[in-house]
Amino acid sequence: MESYEVNGDTILVIYVPRAKREQKPVYINNDLFGGCYRRDWEGDYHCSKAEIKGMFRDAADETEDMKIVEQFDISAIDTESLKGFRNHHKSYRPEHVFNNLPDEEYLERIGAAGYGEDGKLHPTTAGLLMFGEEYHIVREFPEYFLDYREMLDPTIRWTDRLQSSSGDWSGNVFDFFFRVNSKIAKGIKKPFKLEGITRVDDTPVHKAVREALVNCLVNTELFLTLRSSD
């Protein structure tokens, strides 16, 4: 605590450190559901029961994304999605030691799969969300639903839409990200710029859009719903 004298008045400044993940939820009056608050940019607000339960999950020693989903075997992973991810990884890090691994070992190394109590390899929740088929994902996350909409004309409901439950694509997070990012990127202007003899099409706006889309996906409470719309 610090004190300052301003125009004859004493001002006390109290620093309240942010609670660590394993210390949450923090509440008052010995009332977990009635005395738990969170601060946003406008002030404090009362936490819902769902938010409080989410804090308990986040406080666990084993993070939720590394949980092994033993009801599925490794066949729940969509092979085309995994192939696409590995191709992106290889183009970005061509010398990485993981590039030569077989798929099952690769999944284990990146945290998308792990061995269960039965000694067999199963997807983790992160692996299921990233690379699984939608009909498998909703068995673990019943409220899972990815929905992107372009609403450019106020006279019609939407001008373009992509949803995870359509059944004509995998419906997982990995494929959703690249499909939506491609749709958004088409509408972003690309001024002419060269680096050496190579044209640069990746502008700061493109990077900002990708960052916003990634944040939207990874910071959502998956046990409630997972939605992204525009």
Side-chain angles (χ1 to χ4, degrees):
M1 183 176 68
E2 298 178 1
S3 63
Y4 300 89
E5 295 292 332
V6 179
N7 297 326
D9 296 322
T10 300
I11 298 178
L12 299 179
V13 179
I14 301 174
Y15 295 94
V16 181
R18 182 174 182 174
K20 297 179 181 179
R21 171 177 60 85
E22 60 270 16
Q23 295 174 323
K24 298 178 183 179
V26 178
Y27 52 95
I28 60 174
N29 300 327
N30 201 32
D31 185 353
L32 174 59
F33 291 107
C36 187
Y37 296 84
R38 290 185 64 176
R39 175 172 291 276
D40 61 16
W41 294 107
E42 298 178 353
D44 297 334
Y45 68 93
H46 185 253
C47 292
S48 66
K49 287 186 177 181
E51 288 175 314
I52 294 170
K53 290 178 180 178
M55 293 181 200
F56 277 115
R57 286 194 295 270
D58 291 340
D61 292 335
E62 180 186 37
T63 57
E64 216 36 65
D65 58 344
M66 294 304 294
K67 175 185 173 184
I68 296 174
V69 188
E70 296 203 39
Q71 66 168 315
F72 299 117
D73 59 28
I74 210 66
S75 66
I77 299 296
D78 179 66
T79 55
E80 289 302 312
S81 297
L82 177 59
K83 181 180 178 181
F85 181 85
R86 297 199 66 168
N87 286 339
H88 281 286
H89 187 189
K90 188 173 183 178
S91 64
Y92 179 66
R93 298 284 300 278
E95 304 300 325
H96 200 284
V97 294
F98 288 2
N99 290 332
N100 296 322
L101 296 176
D103 284 347
E104 291 192 357
E105 188 174 354
Y106 182 85
L107 287 167
E108 184 186 10
R109 293 290 188 93
I110 66 172
Y115 286 93
E117 295 182 357
D118 58 2
K120 298 180 180 179
L121 195 65
H122 303 273
T124 60
T125 54
L128 183 65
L129 288 163
M130 278 288 288
F131 307 124
E133 294 277 2
E134 186 269 348
Y135 63 89
H136 288 315
I137 296 173
V138 294
R139 289 173 61 186
E140 182 69 14
F141 299 96
E143 298 297 324
Y144 175 88
F145 181 67
L146 300 172
D147 189 12
Y148 169 82
R149 303 182 192 185
E150 290 182 1
M151 293 176 282
L152 305 178
D153 187 342
T155 63
I156 59 178
R157 190 172 181 182
W158 42 264
T159 53
D160 190 16
R161 186 180 187 186
L162 177 71
Q163 56 179 326
S164 57
S165 59
S166 63
D168 55 358
W169 63 289
S170 68
N172 59 46
V173 172
F174 173 76
D175 287 336
F176 179 82
F177 170 81
F178 279 98
R179 285 171 179 252
V180 171
N181 184 66
S182 177
K183 289 177 178 290
I184 298 175
K186 288 179 181 179
I188 301 175
K189 296 183 183 299
K190 299 177 181 179
F192 185 78
K193 180 182 178 181
L194 291 177
E195 286 187 1
I197 61 172
T198 303
R199 179 172 177 176
V200 179
D201 290 332
D202 195 29
T203 68
V205 177
H206 288 84
K207 294 176 181 177
V209 167
R210 285 200 303 271
E211 183 71 16
L213 181 56
V214 168
N215 286 337
C216 180
L217 292 170
V218 303
N219 291 319
T220 303
E221 172 55 78
L222 299 177
F223 283 87
L224 298 177
T225 184
L226 182 60
R227 295 175 184 263
S228 173
S229 61
D230 180 31

